[in-house]
Amino acid sequence: MKNKIKMNQLSGHRQLVTIGCVALLPSMHAVAQQPILEEVMVTAQLRAESALDVPISIAAVDGERIGSLAITSLQELTAYIPNVNINNGALTPNLFIRGIGSGTNAGFEQSVGMYIDGVYAGRAALSAVPITMDLERVEVLKGPQGILFGRNAIAGAISITSAKPSDELEGFVEALWSPDHNEQQYNVTVSGPITDTLAGRFAVRYDSLDGWWSDVSNQEEGPNFDNVYARGSLRWDASDKITVDAKYEIGDFFTDNNPGVIYQSDFVGQPNFAGTIPFPVISERDRGASDAPNERDVETDVFALTVNWDLDFATFTSISAYSGYTRIDESNTDLAATASLNRFTDEQYDQYSQELRLISNGEGKFDWVVGGYYQQADLEVRRINTDLDFALSGPLSVPALVIVDGAQPVTQLFDQEAESWAVFGQGTWSASETLRFTAGVRYQEERKDLDKINPPNPALGFRLGPNVLFANPFTGQLTSDVRSHRFENLERNDDVVTFTLNSQWYPMEETMLYASVSTGFKAGGFDEAYSGPGEAIRLGNPLTGQPNGVVVPGVDASVLEYEDEQVVSYEIGAKMKLLNGAAELNVALFQTEYEDLQVSSLVGDVFRVSNAGEATSRGVEIDGRAILSEQFTIAASLAYLDATYDTFDGATCTIPQATDPMNNPGCLRPDSTNIVVPGETGGQDLSGQTLTYAPEWSANINAVYTVPLTPRLDLRTSVDVNYRNEFYSALDLDPNTVHESYTQLNVRMTLASNDGKWSVSLIGKNLTDEVTYAWRNDVAFTNSNSYFAIVERPLSVALQGRYRF
């Protein structure tokens, strides 16, 4: 192809592939005197090529750009990429692309796949790794990626490539300090040859933060974090045809005093039955109340061994990897200043994977990739309700469960083993100099084995006036049995064939049009949060809890299962170089149709899972960049998203619908009539309503201007404006939980030597001090019209210095 990019163009400083429409273009006369944009190289199709030659909606950010913006997390990075939302939610990180994500349940597979140096990160907790440290690049691929990546990614993929060992000695030291919240970050990287055939690289980071939120009950501030992370890598040139890369990562990430706030309640300042106040304060950002520490400690452990063997006609690649973590949570689950429900969670995960693939050398009319993938993963989640007395939260929408004083808590167990394997192939035929066709297919099988045990606790009852009853006085069912179960040796098997087809046409030099259709798959599984009865329920005395020998049927193990999710996606787009290479413009139009969308709803005190029928995500994405002079570059993006449920008639009712149905209709009986009696069981019909984390409009503008102060000294100013339209994070779409539209402004001023040796930067983030939230939802099991949010960081200013050697 005339515009095929050679490998040697990977060198040099790469710019941000933003993500937007070209906001300003100079005249054709002026362009003749201007430089051209540097190419951005990606490996989205497992071979190095220009991003403009990849028939996928893709955003790529190089490591130099990430460092220059002082981006410390994927959450900050994706603020620059419309239709992508990554944040730390109430319990687990949320990863959403084009309105599709995994929801809140430990049993879910990832809808947005994350791949670090080609290794699939099978759990959201692995995103605790500061993967923005010492990187070569980050690629965000939108839409289902069902063929070439190790695991199916039904909504999109985030591919992170860390920096590799260098042939010459180099490195850098970097420090960042923010006086606003005593943020500190220190990075050290050293790379270079060890022998003639062996090179190594070592990178380490320490960071901490004292936070901006106050706990008025415990007189503490947060969120506080204290993280240590290290990565070591080796590259061995075993021969002129074989290269071996080994990498080991280890990290310890501690956070406490999660910034949860009650932003609305009818019960603020009022006492509960015991005379204590569950919600003593209401705040839009900086104050909350808690009786539990809200601590989280995640320890990660990752090893990967990659072998590349040049066979002349193709390259053989083997990736062997282990990823694991332990996560300890102590959480104030009730969001109140009373011991209504506090939990301890111990989660452990181990993943082993092996990928083999053969990639053609790209010298003929037909390029191809074939391969296979195997993964084995063990997930064990242990939960203990350390405190449980629902009535301490005030008026309730559920039975007033309580564990009587002095009783020992029981340990709930979710122990799952998962095994999957796949074979795949993809080929591209260059029919002419201007026309290419690609087809790919993948077959995958997945098996899950589960033991889920929630032992009965004879001290579990519910309050009725001044008394505690241990069985329902009308049915005689023991409360301990209604909230306990033992499901063992459960098994689920899924198999699926996914495919992709696309065509690329170059109507003129430096312009590519493409059209594609692809399918994706996310395996079904088991509900980790289920806390209901098992297959049998004993009857007994309500006052003593003594069984009377009578047993009635409960529910079978099918109550745990949710079905697999499938998708078909259509996309057409254009990628263009303009003004003799001084500008680029990308446009993508997409429609993605999901069946059996897996969702998670807050019901009482737990998140319950189900399948939501059908959903469609459609929209337009425009992004571009331009270099207006040697000193001035600009990039921008604009995205429109219409992501809605086509059918979802069993959604959870909102708290106002359930507690005051006469004034808040919409909670429906099975016959589709409105419920009029508070507390009656029903569900919403959300067909035609928006998905969560799906703002209709989002946009970004970035401008960088460099002023030479002396022959050796430059002043660079970078300005970013990020916009998000309103969206929901709560699945019931309660109007009280909407996230308002916002615009954030970030500015960075850098004094740097023009040889790249050193720099000093002043960094301002969220300079408009917008109040934003990672999560909004109703407070568990109370009907006091109470809502909580996880607040995001306010305005901050930091000083950063870097020295290269």
Side-chain angles (χ1 to χ4, degrees):
M1 301 296 295
K2 292 181 180 180
N3 59 346
K4 191 178 287 287
I5 307 303
K6 296 181 180 181
M7 286 292 292
N8 60 10
Q9 288 177 292
L10 276 168
S11 61
H13 174 71
R14 306 182 187 100
Q15 300 291 333
L16 172 65
V17 180
T18 346
I19 344 174
C21 60
V22 177
L24 177 65
L25 296 177
S27 69
M28 292 295 292
H29 174 76
V31 170
Q33 284 77 44
Q34 290 178 340
I36 63 174
L37 293 168
E38 296 185 35
E39 291 287 355
V40 175
M41 304 299 292
V42 297
T43 55
Q45 299 188 115
L46 303 183
R47 62 176 80 242
E49 55 189 335
S50 168
L52 296 178
D53 282 331
V54 179
I56 300 170
S57 180
I58 181 173
V61 189
D62 73 0
E64 188 73 23
R65 178 68 173 169
I66 290 171
S68 70
L69 291 173
I71 293 172
T72 59
S73 67
L74 275 180
Q75 180 176 348
E76 290 187 5
L77 176 63
T78 54
Y80 296 85
I81 307 175
N83 282 344
V84 179
N85 196 318
I86 297 177
N87 60 71
N88 292 316
L91 299 176
T92 59
N94 294 304
L95 289 75
F96 282 75
I97 292 180
R98 293 174 174 172
I100 302 297
S102 296
T104 304
N105 191 280
F108 280 149
E109 302 291 332
Q110 293 300 302
S111 294
V112 177
M114 191 167 67
Y115 306 84
I116 305 174
D117 293 322
V119 178
Y120 176 65
R123 304 287 298 171
L126 289 170
S127 67
V129 173
I131 47 185
T132 59
M133 181 190 77
D134 192 33
L135 297 186
E136 187 174 307
R137 67 184 174 278
V138 175
E139 301 170 27
V140 180
L141 288 67
K142 302 175 184 179
Q145 309 298 319
I147 308 299
L148 296 180
F149 286 89
R151 286 291 301 272
N152 275 301
I154 199 167
I158 300 172
S159 178
I160 297 104
T161 303
S162 62
K164 299 299 185 290
S166 56
D167 294 329
E168 297 182 358
L169 180 64
E170 63 179 27
F172 68 87
V173 293
E174 183 181 76
L176 178 146
W177 175 65
S178 172
D180 299 300
H181 314 122
N182 194 28
E183 180 184 17
Q184 301 178 62
Q185 183 185 110
Y186 306 96
N187 298 299
V188 177
T189 296
V190 179
S191 180
I194 299 174
T195 69
D196 290 341
T197 60
L198 184 67
R201 190 179 191 95
F202 178 73
V204 62
R205 168 180 288 181
Y206 170 78
D207 59 357
S208 63
L209 181 78
D210 286 348
W212 61 89
W213 172 85
S214 297
D215 186 330
V216 300
S217 294
N218 297 325
Q219 302 300 311
E220 294 184 355
E221 295 185 350
N224 304 311
F225 63 73
D226 193 87
N227 304 326
V228 179
Y229 169 76
R231 179 198 299 137
S233 54
L234 295 171
R235 167 161 287 186
W236 177 39
D237 295 321
S239 70
D240 59 350
K241 293 182 177 295
I242 299 176
T243 302
V244 180
D245 287 286
K247 181 191 72 170
Y248 179 66
E249 301 171 330
I250 189 170
D252 189 348
F253 312 98
F254 176 80
T255 304
D256 67 357
N257 293 324
N258 201 33
V261 300
I262 304 296
Y263 63 87
Q264 177 177 317
S265 178
D266 294 338
F267 203 65
V268 170
Q270 299 183 49
N272 55 28
F273 78 97
T276 57
I277 299 175
F279 307 123
V281 64
I282 192 164
S283 170
E284 281 293 319
R285 170 182 281 181
D286 59 354
R287 292 183 300 157
S290 174
D291 67 300
N294 271 322
E295 293 182 353
R296 174 174 299 172
D297 192 4
V298 179
E299 296 182 0
T300 60
D301 206 21
V302 177
F303 173 77
L305 182 69
T306 302
V307 179
N308 287 294
W309 182 12
D310 182 3
L311 300 174
D312 294 330
F313 73 97
T315 299
F316 171 78
T317 299
S318 168
I319 304 176
S320 309
Y322 164 78
S323 300
Y325 68 84
T326 61
R327 192 182 88 180
I328 304 295
D329 278 353
E330 295 183 61
S331 58
N332 179 39
T333 309
D334 52 62
L335 278 301
T338 54
S340 308
L341 179 62
N342 297 322
R343 281 181 174 150
F344 172 86
T345 302
D346 181 358
E347 182 176 319
Q348 299 188 44
Y349 180 74
D350 295 285
Q351 173 189 302
Y352 303 87
S353 63
Q354 176 65 55
E355 183 169 1
L356 302 173
R357 59 179 184 243
L358 198 62
I359 305 176
S360 67
N361 59 17
E363 294 180 355
K365 284 184 171 291
F366 186 71
D367 296 337
W368 49 268
V369 179
V370 294
Y373 181 79
Y374 172 80
Q375 178 181 300
Q376 190 268 330
D378 297 330
L379 172 65
E380 185 177 284
V381 183
R382 296 180 180 272
R383 297 189 190 275
I384 298 174
N385 291 333
T386 53
D387 298 289
L388 193 155
D389 190 349
F390 285 3
L392 291 174
S393 284
L396 298 178
S397 58
V398 296
L401 292 178
V402 60
I403 296 177
V404 297
D405 292 342
Q408 291 296 317
V410 298
T411 301
Q412 307 167 34
L413 172 67
F414 181 90
D415 188 1
Q416 177 179 275
E417 296 181 3
E419 185 177 51
S420 65
W421 64 271
V423 290
F424 58 88
Q426 180 169 298
T428 299
W429 174 44
S430 298
S432 69
E433 285 292 308
T434 61
L435 193 60
R436 288 196 287 185
F437 299 97
T438 297
V441 65
R442 180 187 186 96
Y443 175 76
Q444 178 171 316
E445 289 189 3
E446 182 149 349
R447 171 177 171 171
K448 292 179 179 176
D449 298 299
L450 175 71
D451 291 334
K452 188 172 188 317
I453 301 170
N454 186 5
N457 187 343
L460 179 65
F462 63 94
R463 293 190 180 278
L464 187 63
N467 302 311
V468 174
L469 301 184
F470 298 95
N472 188 308
F474 302 103
T475 65
Q477 295 182 358
L478 293 176
T479 306
S480 62
D481 283 18
V482 174
R483 300 280 290 193
S484 67
H485 50 266
R486 178 177 289 269
F487 296 118
E488 297 180 286
N489 301 316
L490 304 185
E491 181 180 320
R492 179 183 173 87
N493 293 279
D494 289 303
D495 62 87
V496 69
V497 175
T498 56
F499 70 87
T500 185
L501 299 169
N502 71 63
S503 60
Q504 296 170 256
W505 178 41
Y506 294 81
M508 61 187 72
E509 190 171 2
E510 312 294 6
T511 297
M512 187 265 284
L513 307 179
Y514 69 91
S516 68
V517 56
S518 57
T519 62
F521 161 84
K522 185 169 77 168
F526 301 102
D527 182 359
E528 183 273 333
Y530 177 74
S531 59
E535 295 178 341
I537 302 173
R538 295 173 298 168
L539 306 185
N541 187 307
L543 296 178
T544 65
Q546 184 66 33
N548 61 16
V550 179
V551 177
V552 298
V555 298
D556 61 41
S558 63
V559 71
L560 295 179
E561 287 197 60
Y562 53 88
E563 297 304 311
D564 59 277
E565 182 180 306
Q566 299 198 29
V567 63
V568 58
S569 180
Y570 308 92
E571 184 168 310
I572 58 174
K575 299 189 176 186
M576 297 168 280
K577 281 188 177 181
L578 304 171
L579 306 179
N580 298 321
E584 292 176 358
L585 180 65
N586 306 312
V587 182
L589 291 81
F590 62 90
Q591 175 157 314
T592 310
E593 300 168 357
Y594 290 84
E595 290 187 5
D596 292 324
L597 190 69
Q598 297 166 6
V599 295
S600 172
S601 303
L602 181 59
V603 180
D605 62 313
V606 296
F607 286 89
R608 295 285 170 77
V609 301
S610 61
N611 293 89
E614 299 177 351
T616 299
S617 173
R618 61 174 65 90
V620 182
E621 296 165 347
I622 306 173
D623 69 80
R625 57 181 182 141
I627 182 165
L628 308 182
S629 69
E630 288 281 1
Q631 291 79 36
F632 189 29
T633 61
I634 188 169
S637 62
L638 177 68
Y640 168 76
L641 179 64
D642 176 18
T644 58
Y645 298 105
D646 297 322
T647 58
F648 188 15
D649 56 8
T652 304
C653 296
T654 66
I655 291 298
Q657 287 174 336
T659 58
D660 188 10
M662 291 294 291
N663 293 313
N664 301 279
C667 193
L668 307 176
R669 301 185 182 96
D671 62 1
S672 297
T673 59
N674 274 299
I675 288 174
V676 295
V677 178
E680 191 176 343
T681 302
Q684 286 191 84
D685 184 356
L686 292 182
S687 302
Q689 300 301 310
T690 182
L691 301 180
T692 57
Y693 290 107
E696 185 177 22
W697 292 98
S698 52
N700 165 263
I701 296 176
N702 165 251
V704 180
Y705 187 71
T706 302
V707 178
L709 298 180
T710 73
R712 296 184 179 181
L713 196 62
D714 293 336
L715 176 64
R716 290 194 300 270
T717 302
S718 173
V719 179
D720 295 282
V721 181
N722 301 319
Y723 171 77
R724 290 289 189 276
N725 201 195
E726 65 179 29
F727 63 92
Y728 287 92
S729 58
L731 188 68
D732 61 11
L733 304 187
D734 188 325
N736 294 301
T737 65
V738 68
H739 295 243
E740 301 294 340
S741 302
Y742 65 87
T743 302
Q744 285 191 338
L745 173 67
N746 304 319
V747 176
R748 176 187 177 94
M749 300 184 67
T750 300
L751 189 65
S753 62
N754 56 23
D755 61 1
K757 282 283 188 180
W758 62 268
S759 65
V760 177
S761 302
L762 183 64
I763 304 163
K765 297 181 180 180
N766 190 16
L767 292 182
T768 53
D769 203 23
E770 292 286 334
V771 180
T772 61
Y773 304 97
W775 180 272
R776 277 187 156 196
N777 214 321
D778 52 86
V779 175
F781 50 75
T782 178
N783 68 357
S784 61
N785 197 34
S786 299
Y787 296 86
F788 79 96
I790 304 300
V791 69
E792 294 180 315
R793 191 172 179 179
L795 180 153
S796 66
V797 177
L799 186 67
Q800 181 188 58
R802 172 182 283 203
Y803 177 76
R804 293 183 180 274
F805 56 86

